Amino acid sequence: MSTTSLPSPDSAAELRAALLAAGFTADGLLDLLGAPAYAALARSETVPALRATRSAGDTPLASLVRLFLLQGAVPYVHAAAALPVEAALADGWLRREGDEVHATVDVRPYGGPEGEDWFIVSDLGCAVGGAGGIGSREEGVVLGVGGASTTLAGITVRIPVGSALDLGTGSGIQALHAAQHATRVTATDVNPRALEFTRLTLALSGAPEAELLAGSLFEPVGDATYDLIVSNPPFVISPGARLTYRDGGMSGDDLCRTLVQEAGAHLNPGGYAQFLGNWQHVDGEDWHDRLRSWVPRGCDAWIVQRDVQDVTQYAELWLRDAGDHRTDPAEYTRRYEDWLDEFEASGTKAVGFGWITLRRTDATEPSIVVEEWPHSVEQPLGEAVLAHFARQDYLREHDDAALLAGYFRLTAEVVQEQVGAPGAEDPEHVVLRQNRGMRRATKVDTVGAGFAGVCDGSLSAGRILDAIAQLMEEDPVVLRDRTPEAIRLLVEQGFLEPLPGGNPS
């Protein structure tokens, strides 16, 4: 593991003020670099940004970009115009070589959900997403912000809580988000250097300090319980544990399974646990059942598979992530064979990636929804997650009779599409489509389309069905008997919103 000393947070407030004064923010970078170069930086491609800073000259902002994002040498005099350079040198943020200074860490502007100007601190050359891999093979390397980090931040429920746990904190982005709505934040990591990076990220972002604990999984927190648990764990299913940031060191998907199964005992009543994960698709086993078996007793769950890769795609993805494709071809081939051998031995045909959300309810009949949704969604999704579980509560508490007595309203921004041959008198089928949240689409029959179309909260579901039966010259009793299942589906998927207390008028 790397033993490189890290900066002290003592001068973080002074350094933060200088960064903000120079416009070293997400918005400031976009203005300086332009959208294409700014987007390229997120892929760890630096050439467009280098060209942009040359055009900008030696302004304080251009100097900061060269220092902290491009990791280039900057003349001392230019650094002094942008930063409290002596304090930054003394605390280890910079190092000096002759008349030039170099950054010792990557400092990356990150815009918070309410427009906050934050900074994520990580190892040099280890931004996520570059075509050449992370640029470092050190076991204890700490990465910056990647797509997985922002995905988890986007799906996390953002309600005021007393306590939050960021398990496997890395460079601290989840702890930073949690600090905005949790009274107390605890961050853990098996890598002690990651905890120091989290300390720097919080300090440089002007966020409250967190409790920082070293150790694996829930071991560092003992029997403590929390209102919110989040984790972007080292979920990669790999042969061995080469890289701490991604390889959990357990067989197959055991790390994700263990994390999920143990989370229930660490949640307060009503608390949420939200994870990213990978899981095996094993020959002869239904992956839905595999994941259902992970859900701990006393918890509702919503598990969404966002992507599936066959084992060759999966092995190539992570070999490239580590830059192994740029090493000796024979060594690359050996590592590739190791991955395929492990998958073959376990009967793994593919690997799924997605989100897992638990809610501690202690309900007699837990709601466990396991689904596949590879389509685009609207981030952030925290409100959609809360709404999902609220709908599960409603459906669990209402039998068919209560459902027919209930009042509903069509969710905002749902549109209806009619699909059929041009010129046909009647459509082949009708599709309801959401333009917000999960952006779901579902086919409905004539009754379902008519029902959804008139749901404005003025009539109960039963009375709407009676009116439809009269228009269609159907038996209203038969229609009432066969429709509740369809209503449940529309409520569960968020097309219909139950109105508590019935008719709002």
Side-chain angles (χ1 to χ4, degrees):
M1 183 174 293
S2 173
T3 57
T4 305
S5 60
L6 297 179
S8 163
D10 291 349
S11 61
E14 188 179 2
L15 184 59
R16 171 178 171 80
L19 296 177
L20 295 177
F24 190 65
T25 64
D27 289 341
L29 291 184
L30 184 60
D31 290 341
L32 173 71
L33 304 177
Y38 185 68
L41 269 183
R43 303 189 300 271
S44 298
E45 298 292 352
T46 59
V47 172
L50 281 167
R51 292 169 63 88
T53 59
R54 283 200 297 267
S55 299
D58 295 318
T59 64
L61 179 54
S63 295
L64 292 174
V65 171
R66 294 186 191 110
L67 265 177
F68 290 117
L69 298 185
L70 306 181
Q71 279 105 54
V74 169
Y76 179 95
V77 64
H78 295 158
L83 293 169
V85 70
E86 287 302 322
L89 286 165
D91 280 351
W93 295 90
L94 303 176
R95 61 180 174 83
R96 185 169 183 174
E97 292 183 3
D99 293 331
E100 295 180 327
V101 296
H102 299 258
T104 61
V105 290
D106 183 297
V107 176
R108 198 152 297 240
Y110 178 79
E114 302 299 326
E116 301 95 339
D117 290 315
W118 293 339
F119 300 95
I120 309 299
V121 188
S122 63
D123 271 315
L124 289 172
C126 291
V128 180
I134 61 170
S136 174
R137 304 277 172 73
E138 293 190 46
E139 179 188 350
V141 68
V142 177
L143 301 191
V145 177
S149 300
T150 55
T151 293
L152 179 59
I155 68 172
T156 301
V157 297
R158 300 297 176 193
I159 54 177
V161 295
S163 57
L165 170 64
D166 176 14
L167 192 153
T169 186
S171 55
I173 178 176
Q174 310 305 329
L176 179 57
H177 276 279
Q180 312 309 306
H181 62 103
T183 303
R184 175 173 58 88
V185 176
T186 299
T188 71
D189 206 287
V190 71
N191 180 2
R193 292 184 74 250
L195 299 177
E196 293 308 310
F197 273 113
T198 293
R199 190 190 310 278
L200 296 174
T201 289
L202 294 174
L204 198 58
S205 298
E209 294 183 6
E211 178 186 30
L212 304 174
L213 303 174
S216 178
L217 296 174
F218 290 101
E219 178 271 328
V221 302
D223 296 328
T225 57
Y226 301 87
D227 302 312
L228 175 67
I229 300 171
V230 293
S231 183
N232 177 18
F235 52 65
V236 177
I237 300 170
S238 60
R242 289 173 61 204
L243 299 170
T244 302
Y245 78 89
R246 70 169 204 192
D247 302 316
M250 294 187 183
S251 176
D253 52 21
D254 281 355
L255 183 134
C256 286
R257 175 185 57 79
T258 301
L259 179 61
V260 173
Q261 289 180 336
E262 294 183 355
H266 293 276
L267 280 176
N268 292 325
Y272 287 85
Q274 297 186 268
F275 315 111
L276 301 186
N278 278 182
W279 41 81
Q280 293 162 273
H281 285 226
V282 179
D283 194 27
E285 181 179 355
D286 187 304
W287 70 269
H288 300 81
D289 293 339
R290 183 182 189 87
L291 293 179
R292 285 191 187 96
S293 73
W294 292 5
V295 178
R297 191 180 183 87
C299 289
D300 290 348
W302 184 22
I303 302 174
V304 183
Q305 181 168 275
R306 295 287 290 153
D307 191 20
V308 182
Q309 291 186 323
D310 68 48
V311 292
T312 59
Q313 291 174 308
Y314 189 79
E316 290 161 14
L317 169 67
W318 294 109
L319 288 168
R320 288 179 178 273
D321 168 80
D324 287 332
H325 60 306
R326 296 185 181 276
T327 62
D328 176 61
E331 178 68 7
Y332 175 80
T333 298
R334 185 190 68 77
R335 291 192 186 280
Y336 202 148
E337 290 275 12
D338 288 345
W339 284 70
L340 297 185
D341 285 345
E342 179 136 322
F343 285 134
E344 184 176 347
S346 63
T348 301
K349 303 301 181 184
V351 177
F353 169 84
W355 319 323
I356 299 174
T357 300
L358 306 177
R359 182 184 58 156
R360 176 76 181 273
T361 62
D362 297 313
T364 304
E365 297 181 7
S367 165
I368 301 177
V369 177
V370 182
E371 62 175 320
E372 186 166 19
W373 188 253
H375 311 292
S376 65
V377 299
E378 181 192 43
Q379 286 276 32
L381 270 174
E383 290 294 329
V385 173
L386 291 171
H388 167 87
F389 286 101
R391 294 193 299 269
Q392 299 308 309
D393 288 341
Y394 177 88
L395 293 172
R396 183 160 44 201
E397 296 164 2
H398 290 73
D399 60 17
D400 286 356
L403 205 65
L404 292 173
Y407 291 76
F408 302 91
R409 180 167 51 210
L410 190 66
T411 305
E413 300 207 31
V414 172
V415 297
Q416 176 179 303
E417 299 174 0
Q418 294 187 347
V419 180
E425 184 175 345
D426 297 312
E428 294 176 11
H429 59 264
V430 175
V431 174
L432 299 182
R433 188 178 302 278
Q434 301 168 353
N435 287 320
R436 304 295 303 274
M438 291 292 286
R439 293 176 173 161
R440 296 186 187 275
T442 187
K443 287 197 298 186
V444 293
D445 60 14
T446 303
V447 172
F451 182 88
V454 297
C455 274
D456 60 2
S458 61
L459 295 174
S460 69
R463 290 189 62 187
I464 291 174
L465 290 177
D466 290 344
I468 292 174
Q470 185 174 3
L471 286 172
M472 299 180 65
E473 298 182 350
E474 286 197 27
D475 184 338
V477 175
V478 173
L479 195 59
R480 279 175 173 253
D481 284 345
R482 69 178 173 87
T483 306
E485 183 178 352
I487 296 175
R488 284 186 183 278
L489 180 64
L490 291 175
V491 172
E492 180 179 335
Q493 295 190 345
F495 290 94
L496 292 180
E497 175 187 1
L499 299 177
N503 190 338
S505 63

